[in-house]
Amino acid sequence: MTTLLIENPAGLDHIMPPGHPEQVPRLEAVNAALAAPAFSGLARQEAPLAEEADLLLAHPQGYIDAIKGAMPEAGLVALDPDTHASPGSWDAALKCVGGMITAVDAVLDGRANNAFLATRPPGHHAEKTRAMGFCFFGTVAIGALHALERRGLSRVAIVDFDVHHGNGTQDILWDETRTLFVSSHQMPLFPGTGAASERGAANNILNLPLPPGSDGPYMRGVYEARVFPALRAFAPEMILISAGFDAHRADPLANLTWDETDFSWVTREICALADEICDGRVVSTLEGGYDLPALAASVAAHVTELMEHSG
Ligand SMILES: [Zn+2]
């Protein structure tokens, strides 16, 4: 058994304007880190294109048609001040979702213990009917809904440790009682949502705002006191991770002071919990992380822990 790495070369054709933080070199840095000999034991698979039916799990037809219609044949278009599309963006975004479906199926079918998607664009800011925050489609939410609707699972948890609130995942899963969505994030910060009072239609959302400047040990205390007990109580059959690495102290978009060892810790603890309650089933997808060396080191730390738990 193994850790599956889903690769998305199409993510290299999703072009942003000069100076934009969600840039092609992010994926190049991640791919370079995972090309090291330490990761030769990964099973690797290229992400396929998602089907439209996959997108429809989370987004209405009109939204899908609007995004497809907005894709440029040349140059760039801005869907909002942060979110741009180039001619390669449609395939890149569809392969994020297709990769997520592939990874969920691989883990549920026992072809891998766990999986990581090295991919871009990210997805957790995409709401049902709004592209924003560099995101087009709710990749991780679609993964959860695929497991529930098509694979017969009853409960799926999502842990989002990106430094920004996963407002899109929250929007898509607001009244979905078969999911538990847990998000830790700096507050105040983009996108402004994620207060502890936002709990979903049936207490199915747990938002854990973290103060600017707070560190890894503070985060560990929050996860031990709030996240892990909530996961145990929910007893998911699978855990999905929105793995953003922008809580790193070097990240230019936020003000938390985690480092690689904190990403190792949180991954290790989630995997240990998954071993305990859901046969170790974990699928993790890349979200943010904008300092290239910190991103590369943090992804390496994260995937190393996934591999440690795949035996
Ligand atoms: Zn982020």
Side-chain angles (χ1 to χ4, degrees):
M1 290 291 276
T2 186
T3 294
L4 174 63
L5 176 66
I6 300 284
E7 300 179 302
N8 184 9
L12 301 172
D13 298 324
H14 169 54
I15 310 299
M16 292 287 102
H20 194 287
E22 208 290 279
Q23 52 184 303
V24 169
R26 294 182 63 240
L27 187 54
E28 293 172 337
V30 166
N31 288 341
L34 296 178
F39 300 104
S40 61
L42 288 167
R44 292 169 187 257
Q45 187 171 347
E46 192 169 320
L49 286 168
E51 305 285 339
E52 192 169 80
D54 302 327
L55 306 179
L56 284 166
L57 288 166
H59 303 282
Q61 185 74 53
Y63 173 76
I64 298 166
D65 293 344
I67 294 295
K68 190 171 188 179
M71 292 290 157
E73 290 185 14
L76 302 179
V77 296
L79 302 182
D80 81 356
D82 300 319
T83 312
H84 303 264
S86 71
S89 298
W90 178 254
D91 279 8
L94 254 62
K95 288 184 175 181
C96 294
V97 175
M100 171 58 71
I101 302 277
T102 297
V104 167
D105 284 344
V107 170
L108 288 177
D109 292 341
R111 285 183 281 121
N113 291 88
N114 54 36
F116 177 72
L117 280 76
T119 196
R120 62 184 285 278
H124 73 149
H125 293 307
E127 299 185 343
K128 285 179 186 170
T129 60
R130 182 160 67 142
M132 61 178 280
F134 323 153
C135 303
F136 302 92
F137 299 115
T139 302
V140 78
I142 292 172
L145 291 167
H146 169 72
L148 295 166
E149 296 289 342
R150 296 165 168 169
R151 299 302 309 264
L153 268 60
S154 302
R155 292 177 310 283
V156 176
I158 299 170
V159 179
D160 183 331
F161 59 68
D162 188 281
V163 80
H164 303 95
H165 179 235
N167 63 293
T169 309
Q170 171 168 298
D171 177 63
I172 293 164
L173 300 176
W174 182 260
D175 53 8
E176 177 50 79
T177 57
R178 297 171 297 175
T179 57
L180 173 68
F181 175 54
V182 182
S183 177
S184 64
H185 42 270
Q186 180 183 321
M187 183 170 255
L189 190 66
F190 178 90
T193 51
S197 58
E198 298 166 22
R199 300 172 66 170
N203 207 21
N204 51 306
I205 291 171
L206 177 60
N207 280 310
L208 300 163
L210 305 173
S214 62
D215 60 9
Y218 182 89
M219 173 275 291
R220 295 182 193 206
V222 169
Y223 272 71
E224 286 180 334
R226 304 293 308 281
V227 177
F228 304 139
L231 288 172
R232 277 202 179 84
F234 184 68
E237 296 160 291
M238 179 173 229
I239 299 175
L240 309 183
I241 303 176
S242 267
F245 299 96
D246 38 11
H248 195 284
R249 67 176 68 241
D251 199 275
L253 296 193
N255 311 98
L256 299 191
T257 63
W258 305 8
D259 63 21
E260 297 89 282
T261 64
D262 297 308
F263 292 112
S264 291
W265 181 86
V266 72
T267 309
R268 188 160 61 243
E269 294 295 321
I270 292 170
C271 286
L273 195 63
D275 285 344
E276 190 183 309
I277 59 183
C278 56
D279 290 333
R281 293 168 175 162
V282 172
V283 173
S284 173
T285 186
L286 180 64
E287 301 283 2
Y290 302 98
D291 178 81
L292 299 184
L295 173 63
S298 300
V299 166
H302 179 64
V303 176
T304 296
E305 294 297 336
L306 291 175
M307 293 174 76
E308 289 285 322
H309 280 266
S310 67

